Structure formats: C-alpha cells, structure tokens
Amino acid sequence: MPYRRILEALLARIAGARTALLLDTQGEVVVGAGQLDERQRLIGAYQGITLGMVSRAAQRVGAGEVRALVSRHSGGAVVLTTLRDGYYLVVSLGPNAVTALAVRHAEEARQALNREI
C-alpha cells in the first residue's frame, strides 16, 4: 500500500517522531506507521475533533481553509495536516523532535498522500 510507505518515509525523516497516522473523516485510522498503540489512535481521533472546531471557526471569520495545525504539550507535539476528501494526517512527536522540520516533512507527505487518495 503506498500510504504506509509514505508514512514510514515521513517518520524516517523526522528524528524523534513517534507515529504517523492517516485518518478518515470519522477519525478512524486508515493506516499508520510507528508506535501504533491505543493512545496514539486516540490522539489521532481527538485531533480530528479539534480540526473540525478550528475549521468551523476559520470559516465563520473568513480565514480560509485550515491546512495544518500544530499542538505542543509537555511530552512533545502533534502536527496535523488536512488532505483531500476529508482525510487528515497526524504526526506525533517526542519532546526532542524539531517541530518546524516535522511541519515541512508533513507538508511533503501531504502532497504525496493527496496524489494517492
């Protein structure tokens, strides 16, 4: 499956990345790479809820389409990028990962995934 190869390549390019998940519009994991435990799946689903809230807020104020969100927490960060047809990509990072680098590589993976969807 090309999706898994894209996610594995993404993780390999980001030191300190834990998980990369491709999720559908319902927050269900389509495919993942890295640490695929229940905690990571829950993070992905909750990011989808956050994406919905932020997208609606952006629409209300005329801010345009949301393409990426970055959330930082004490244990690291989460990078979310939107994909075609309501899919989205979530990359979970450890505390030592470079978030800006992860955002750049997530955008590259976003483009590759959109070509495959």
Side-chain angles (χ1 to χ4, degrees):
M1 176 177 271
Y3 304 134
R4 184 176 312 279
R5 285 193 305 273
I6 293 168
L7 298 181
E8 288 171 349
L10 173 61
L11 289 180
R13 297 174 80 187
I14 307 168
R18 294 180 177 149
T19 307
L21 301 171
L22 172 62
L23 295 103
D24 66 16
T25 58
Q26 303 300 312
E28 296 293 325
V29 175
V30 175
V31 65
Q35 300 173 7
L36 300 177
D37 58 28
E38 190 60 29
R39 180 176 184 274
Q40 298 301 323
R41 292 175 191 274
L42 286 173
I43 288 171
Y46 280 112
Q47 290 298 310
I49 293 168
T50 302
L51 173 62
M53 292 170 34
V54 170
S55 294
R56 286 188 296 278
Q59 187 177 37
R60 276 194 306 273
V61 299
E65 176 188 7
V66 175
R67 290 183 55 183
L69 296 173
V70 176
S71 305
R72 294 181 142 292
H73 54 84
S74 61
V78 176
V79 176
L80 179 150
T81 59
T82 58
L83 302 169
R84 288 183 4 176
D85 300 332
Y87 289 86
Y88 60 102
L89 168 66
V90 173
V91 182
S92 179
L93 307 171
N96 296 323
V98 178
T99 306
L101 182 64
V103 170
R104 189 178 114 227
H105 290 308
E107 175 58 26
E108 293 165 359
R110 175 185 188 271
Q111 293 172 17
L113 289 166
N114 275 336
R115 285 191 296 271
E116 297 295 332
I117 292 175

